[in-house]
Amino acid sequence: MEIKGRSPELKAADPLGRIIGWFRSLRALMVIAALAVSLLVTAAVYLATEAVFTQAVQRASVQNARVLADGTFNAMYQIMRQGWTRDQLNEFLDSLNQRADPGAVINVYRGARVNELFGRIEQPAPDKTAMAAFDSRRTHVDAGTEMVRYDRPLVADAECLQCHVNAQSGDVLGVLSIRQPIGPMIEQAHDELVDRLMLIVPAPLLAALLVAGLLSWRLGRSVRRLNRSVEQVNRVEDLADLRFAGASTGFTELDDVLSRVDVLTDKVRHVAIDRNLLEFEIGLLEHFVITSDVVRDWRRYVRDLLEEINRQFTVHGVFTAFSIADRPVGVDVFWHGPVDEVVVARLDQEIGRRVGEGLGGQVHEVTPRQHPGKDGLPVSDAGRLDLHTKTLSMDLPPMRGMVGLIVPMGEARVPVKKLVIESILSTLINVVGSVRAIERHTEDLEYFATRDPLTRLYNQRMFWSLLDYEIGRARRHESRFGLMVIDLDDFKRVNDRYGHGFGDDYLRRIADLLNDGLRDGDIVARYGGDEFVAILPDADDAAAEQVADRLLARAQKTAIAAPDGESLRLSLSVGLAVGPMDAADPASTQALFSLADQAMYRAKAAGKNRLAVANRDEVRALDQAGGGTPEAFAILDPATVSVVYQSIRRADGEVMGAEAFARARVGDRLVPAAEFVRALDRDQLIDAVDRQVVERVLDDPAIRCFAGQLFFNVAPTSLMEARFVDFLLDAVERSALAAEQVVIEISESPLAGEIGALAGPLADLRAAGVGLAIDHAGSGRETLSYLRRFDVDYVKIEADWLCDRKVSRRDRAFIDGLLTIAETLGVTVIAHNVETDGQVELIRGLAIDLMQGYRFAREAPVLPVVRTAAISGRGGRV
């Protein structure tokens, strides 16, 4: 295993490590540098002095040789003027060598002219240096470190020619050569120089050591101070004590460095977060998770968070203030420890002022709820407290909020703590704000779970619960109550003519009328579509009928302005039943509703816009007669539901397909479609019946011979039910039909505002190859939304709407526009519920090729008829 570094303790225990550490220190660097500089200076002085002395000796030797040469030449010249013999010349040269400087050697080399005239003598042959003097006729000087050589040529002049008759003026008669040894002199001088330097060298060395020691001491003092200050820094707040302002190290540069350290520590204090605070910040992120426990008891969450905050630094309290929608501001103050009443009063006043300024409320309206603690430090001086707040504003749900921290005065002056305080406030405002928003959303969910979102009346589910309760209450108190079923007359025409937008406003006006027209304490609910119900507590037969008459009279006087300016008279069909029945009759909630519902149908059958009171004896008589009217149809049993078929023909009468749908029978007669659908919705059996129809048709062996397209009318609620699409596709796959032969019809009216929920189921059907159709397409906005968002194959439009010659210009423009859109998108238009030959001609005039229901009453709508018909093709396009 490789060890990349050793701790200071290990280095201190290792002698080699201590030595290496000393050599790596600044002190060792200064000492070694001083020694090196001293040695280098001494060596440089020695070399320079040696060079200078050697050059001086050489120059002196050369000068001495020149003087000796001049003296020798002059002496020779005087002797030669007097004439001399060979012996005299030799004696002269010997005497010169004896008188010359010690070690100097003088030679005279005779030239060729002299030898010709006087003959040769025994002497050394001239060397190269002497020959160079002969040839160049110039003096040659060679100064080395061991020898100085001086060679001077003897040039003949006019006087010399008196004796040397064979020479000419300017000839070299000889060379005077002087050799002066200087090596011993230089060596002796070098020895003396070294001796003197050895006496001088210790002085600069000691001076260097002294300077190094002084520098080391002064630097060491500054470094020790820096080390002591750094060792005291354990948290970011301790950086405030790491100050070197005014410190003097004796070195301007070091003083500047330490002053920059102060600047650096200030910067670090503003940006650094120590480990404990960082861990605390991470803990805050964990508290940001909103669990069901937090939603259930957010006040406990705040108290727990306050406890955790105080593990890092002191926070005396937390307050929260939130106002949701039009509710007054609610303020909660949580204290960590016991608090004096005077402090509470002072803080309440300050919190009220802050909340009033931040949330726009009145200070006197704010009354904080106190949540005292017991584990923290007691608080007795409000003047030593500081308040930090953060606000929040939301549009959905409409909410304003503020949270605050109560901390000791000056706590936020530390930059890091100020950041942490901001972080705590952000966590509080987000978590508590989210919890309060969830509370409001939960309240809305609870509200709309019992309310109709359009009219804000009770919904059908809540109606049944209230009806059960009222029956039980009336039996306990032996009292009576009324039950009204109210249906709007001709609402479909209003909806088709003016659109669903106006239809929704129309329903809201009806809801307001019912609320205002009934007694205080009466319960009104929207049962579904254009049908309403009302429970009249503590009302006997006479009182209930009086309330119903008053409501009907008020409705008859009410007119609602339509978008085209027409005044629409309100018409209601009201059925009234009074319960509970006597003890001998085991009447149920459903039975009582059926009585009121049947009474409502009698009111419609009698001409609408009237009241019908349920008569129990009459209903029993009708039951005994076999249910001769559809109104006798009360409680629906899915087992009694049968499947019927309606052919879809071309305009020329050729059958190209059929629609399968469910109907119920009372005796030998079919229950009308509107009543049947109402019963399904009432008993919440639509999904079950849709599944039953699909299974019966696709599992029928007779379907094997079916060659056309088979339409299924499926409620949108069924399509959105979990796994219904999977069930449908499995049934298609098991059947003898191809997926392209199956068409699913969806109605445009029951899903106002929920079209997006069908996107997934319809996309799955299209991906499997199943066709889509819009059933009962009218003037509502959902038809256009369906056509824009979904890829449909068919649009079914009511024949009476298409063929009504009295339809308004606005509606006719919409019809033409819808047909044009269908043609542009390649969607086939089917005229629905065609009843007369006149309608057939009008539909052909609109270039609509497919019709459903034509001659429906003249042919038994059973599968064998459809099966034996000539079914082929997919139908034309508009």
Side-chain angles (χ1 to χ4, degrees):
M1 180 175 64
E2 181 183 0
I3 300 178
K4 295 184 177 180
R6 294 182 295 177
S7 65
E9 293 78 5
L10 292 177
K11 290 183 179 179
D14 184 7
L16 180 59
R18 290 200 302 271
I19 295 174
I20 294 175
W22 184 87
F23 273 101
R24 296 181 61 183
S25 66
L26 180 61
R27 183 179 304 174
L29 177 62
M30 290 188 294
V31 172
I32 293 173
L35 291 175
V37 170
S38 177
L39 292 176
L40 289 175
V41 169
T42 302
V45 170
Y46 172 77
L47 294 175
T49 304
E50 179 187 30
V52 171
F53 184 77
T54 300
Q55 292 176 2
V57 171
Q58 289 175 338
R59 286 195 297 270
S61 299
V62 171
Q63 183 64 26
N64 186 46
R66 182 181 294 111
V67 172
L68 183 58
D70 290 342
T72 302
F73 178 76
N74 290 333
M76 289 177 58
Y77 187 72
Q78 292 299 326
I79 294 173
M80 285 189 294
R81 293 179 64 181
Q82 297 175 3
W84 57 357
T85 65
R86 181 176 300 173
D87 293 335
Q88 291 176 330
L89 176 59
N90 292 331
E91 291 178 2
F92 174 75
L93 292 176
D94 291 338
S95 63
L96 285 178
N97 287 324
Q98 292 176 3
R99 291 195 303 271
D101 292 339
V105 177
I106 302 174
N107 286 319
V108 178
Y109 297 99
R110 297 173 66 179
R113 299 291 185 184
V114 177
N115 286 334
E116 290 178 2
L117 184 61
F118 298 106
R120 294 182 177 273
I121 63 173
E122 293 182 4
Q123 64 175 7
D127 54 13
K128 292 181 180 181
T129 304
M131 291 303 297
F134 274 109
D135 296 335
S136 64
R137 300 181 183 180
R138 294 179 180 177
T139 302
H140 279 257
V141 178
D142 185 11
T145 57
E146 297 294 333
M147 179 75 68
V148 172
R149 175 80 175 270
Y150 186 89
D151 291 275
R152 180 174 181 177
L154 302 177
V155 182
D157 55 11
E159 189 173 356
C160 295
L161 297 180
Q162 295 178 4
C163 294
H164 299 276
V165 293
N166 61 340
Q168 296 181 0
S169 178
D171 289 342
V172 178
L173 301 178
V175 172
L176 178 62
S177 177
I178 299 176
R179 294 181 177 87
Q180 179 70 51
I182 62 174
M185 297 173 57
I186 293 176
E187 184 177 355
Q188 182 181 0
H190 288 178
D191 293 340
E192 294 177 356
L193 178 61
V194 170
D195 293 339
R196 286 172 172 77
L197 286 176
M198 293 302 295
L199 297 175
I200 298 173
V201 166
L205 182 59
L206 291 176
L209 291 175
L210 181 61
V211 172
L214 178 62
L215 292 175
S216 176
W217 175 75
R218 296 177 70 176
L219 285 175
R221 183 182 62 179
S222 302
V223 170
R224 285 191 297 272
R225 177 179 176 180
L226 178 61
N227 288 336
R228 287 195 301 269
S229 300
V230 170
E231 289 174 356
Q232 295 174 358
V233 176
N234 296 312
R235 303 181 63 178
V236 175
E237 290 84 349
D238 296 336
L239 292 175
D241 300 327
L242 190 62
R243 312 301 297 176
F244 297 98
S248 176
T249 63
F251 302 99
T252 304
E253 293 81 1
L254 289 180
D255 291 343
D256 292 340
V257 170
L258 291 180
S259 65
R260 302 308 298 175
V261 170
D262 288 346
V263 176
L264 177 61
T265 55
D266 291 338
K267 291 182 178 180
V268 171
R269 288 170 57 203
H270 284 82
V271 301
I273 299 178
D274 59 34
R275 177 180 176 181
N276 292 334
L277 290 180
L278 185 59
E279 292 176 349
F280 174 69
E281 288 283 344
I282 295 174
L284 283 181
L285 293 177
E286 295 176 353
H287 281 78
F288 192 75
V289 178
I290 302 175
T291 63
S292 59
D293 292 336
V294 175
V295 176
R296 187 165 47 251
D297 191 359
W298 64 270
R299 291 181 175 86
R300 178 178 295 277
Y301 161 82
V302 175
R303 287 194 293 266
D304 293 343
L305 182 60
L306 180 60
E307 180 70 27
E308 185 165 343
I309 293 171
N310 276 273
R311 296 175 185 173
Q312 295 299 322
F313 54 89
T314 302
V315 174
H316 293 302
V318 172
F319 82 85
T320 65
F322 283 88
S323 174
I324 303 177
D326 54 353
R327 299 179 184 177
V329 179
V331 181
D332 291 87
V333 182
F334 302 86
W335 294 97
H336 186 234
V339 59
D340 187 78
E341 293 183 359
V342 177
V343 175
V344 171
R346 289 280 302 276
L347 263 296
D348 284 354
Q349 183 179 3
E350 178 62 18
I351 290 172
R353 186 185 66 81
R354 295 281 187 98
V355 172
E357 293 176 353
L359 304 185
Q362 299 296 324
V363 176
H364 66 274
E365 296 177 354
V366 177
T367 305
R369 180 192 301 177
Q370 301 294 328
H371 303 274
K374 58 182 180 179
D375 299 328
L377 298 174
V379 181
S380 58
D381 187 358
R384 299 179 63 85
L385 300 178
D386 198 2
L387 195 60
H388 297 268
T389 62
K390 196 176 190 68
T391 58
L392 171 71
S393 180
M394 296 176 58
D395 295 330
L396 192 65
M399 181 175 67
R400 295 167 299 152
M402 174 182 291
V403 297
L405 291 184
I406 306 169
V407 299
M409 182 67 69
E411 188 78 1
R413 294 177 182 174
V414 180
V416 174
K417 287 190 176 181
K418 184 176 181 180
L419 291 175
V420 175
I421 288 175
E422 289 294 323
S423 178
I424 296 171
L425 290 173
S426 297
T427 301
L428 279 172
I429 197 73
N430 283 290
V431 173
V432 179
S434 299
V435 169
R436 302 304 299 274
I438 291 173
E439 286 181 346
R440 173 55 188 263
H441 184 63
T442 303
E443 292 175 358
D444 290 343
L445 290 177
E446 293 174 352
Y447 177 84
F448 286 109
T450 61
R451 298 279 178 167
D452 170 56
L454 178 63
T455 62
R456 301 301 174 98
L457 299 176
Y458 288 117
N459 58 19
Q460 182 184 138
R461 179 185 303 174
M462 192 63 184
F463 160 73
W464 289 112
S465 298
L466 293 173
L467 184 57
D468 283 336
Y469 171 79
E470 187 60 29
I471 288 178
R473 190 189 70 83
R475 284 176 175 168
R476 288 192 302 271
H477 296 279
E478 297 182 352
S479 62
R480 310 263 303 162
F481 70 93
L483 174 63
M484 289 195 300
V485 176
I486 307 165
D487 188 81
L488 304 186
D489 296 328
D490 301 319
F491 177 70
K492 186 178 185 303
R493 287 188 177 273
V494 173
N495 218 21
D496 290 344
R497 183 171 183 179
Y498 299 107
H500 286 286
F502 177 74
D504 291 345
D505 292 337
Y506 194 88
L507 292 174
R508 282 190 284 266
R509 293 286 299 274
I510 299 302
D512 294 339
L513 172 71
L514 296 178
N515 275 326
D516 296 339
L518 298 178
R519 305 172 304 169
D520 291 340
D522 291 343
I523 301 169
V524 184
R526 183 186 180 193
Y527 192 80
D530 58 348
E531 188 173 358
F532 299 83
V533 289
I535 301 174
L536 313 176
D538 297 322
D540 56 15
D541 295 67
E545 189 169 348
Q546 184 180 5
V547 172
D549 287 336
R550 187 169 61 246
L551 174 65
L552 192 60
R554 184 168 184 172
Q556 292 170 348
K557 296 178 182 179
T558 301
I560 300 176
D564 59 1
E566 183 180 351
S567 180
L568 303 179
R569 282 291 178 182
L570 185 60
S571 176
L572 303 179
S573 293
V574 182
L576 173 64
V578 178
M581 298 180 181
D582 55 59
D585 190 350
S588 66
T589 304
Q590 184 68 57
L592 183 62
F593 175 80
S594 297
L595 290 176
D597 194 41
Q598 294 166 22
M600 183 271 293
Y601 280 112
R602 288 200 302 275
K604 279 189 175 296
K608 303 179 182 179
N609 195 25
R610 64 191 63 228
L611 168 67
V613 181
N615 186 317
R616 187 180 55 189
D617 294 334
E618 180 182 355
V619 172
R620 287 175 178 170
L622 289 173
D623 289 339
Q624 292 173 359
T629 63
E631 289 80 4
F633 168 59
I635 301 176
L636 181 65
D637 183 1
T640 65
V641 174
S642 60
V643 178
V644 297
Y645 298 84
Q646 192 173 30
S647 62
I648 299 176
R649 303 172 183 268
R650 297 187 186 278
D652 58 6
E654 180 186 0
V655 177
M656 57 76 58
E659 178 182 358
F661 49 89
R663 284 293 179 265
R665 296 179 179 273
V666 176
D668 295 331
R669 299 186 61 183
L670 287 174
V671 177
E675 298 172 24
F676 177 66
V677 172
R678 188 192 306 273
L680 289 178
D681 186 49
R682 179 193 64 203
D683 296 336
Q684 300 180 1
L685 295 173
I686 292 180
D687 297 347
V689 170
D690 282 342
R691 285 177 178 266
Q692 193 175 71
V693 170
V694 170
E695 282 184 326
R696 288 185 185 181
V697 173
L698 295 181
D699 290 343
D700 189 346
I703 207 69
R704 298 178 183 275
C705 301
F706 187 75
Q709 287 189 292
L710 193 59
F711 290 66
F712 289 90
N713 196 311
V714 177
T717 54
S718 296
L719 290 174
M720 292 187 295
E721 190 266 330
R723 302 190 61 80
F724 182 84
V725 172
D726 294 337
F727 155 77
L728 176 62
L729 295 179
D730 290 342
V732 172
E733 186 176 359
R734 291 194 311 268
S735 72
L737 296 180
E740 292 77 10
Q741 291 181 263
V742 177
V743 180
I744 300 301
E745 299 181 11
I746 53 176
S747 175
E748 64 133 18
S749 55
L751 278 181
E754 298 182 9
I755 295 176
L758 287 173
L762 295 185
D764 293 340
L765 293 176
R766 295 298 293 176
V770 175
L772 296 179
I774 301 176
D775 189 23
H776 295 290
S779 59
R781 60 191 175 196
E782 281 71 29
T783 297
L784 298 179
S785 298
Y786 282 162
L787 291 173
R788 181 175 62 85
R789 299 189 60 173
F790 306 131
D791 182 16
V792 302
D793 300 289
Y794 301 95
V795 171
K796 297 171 67 175
I797 304 177
E798 291 288 340
D800 60 349
W801 191 56
L802 285 170
C803 302
D804 188 357
R805 296 182 181 274
K806 297 180 181 180
V807 70
S808 67
R809 183 175 59 87
R810 186 184 301 274
D811 284 345
R812 176 53 59 189
F814 185 86
I815 293 171
D816 294 340
L818 181 59
L819 295 177
T820 302
I821 291 173
E823 180 180 8
T824 302
L825 297 178
V827 177
T828 300
V829 175
I830 301 176
H832 184 46
N833 287 338
V834 180
E835 297 176 352
T836 66
D837 294 337
Q839 287 180 333
V840 172
E841 295 302 322
L842 291 173
I843 289 170
R844 288 172 179 171
L846 294 174
I848 296 176
D849 295 337
L850 299 182
M851 296 178 293
Q852 179 177 1
Y854 182 50
R855 302 184 186 279
F856 175 65
R858 303 178 190 177
E859 295 182 0
V862 292
L863 185 60
V865 174
V866 177
R867 184 174 65 244
T868 57
I871 300 175
S872 63
R874 285 190 46 98
R877 297 292 181 182
V878 177

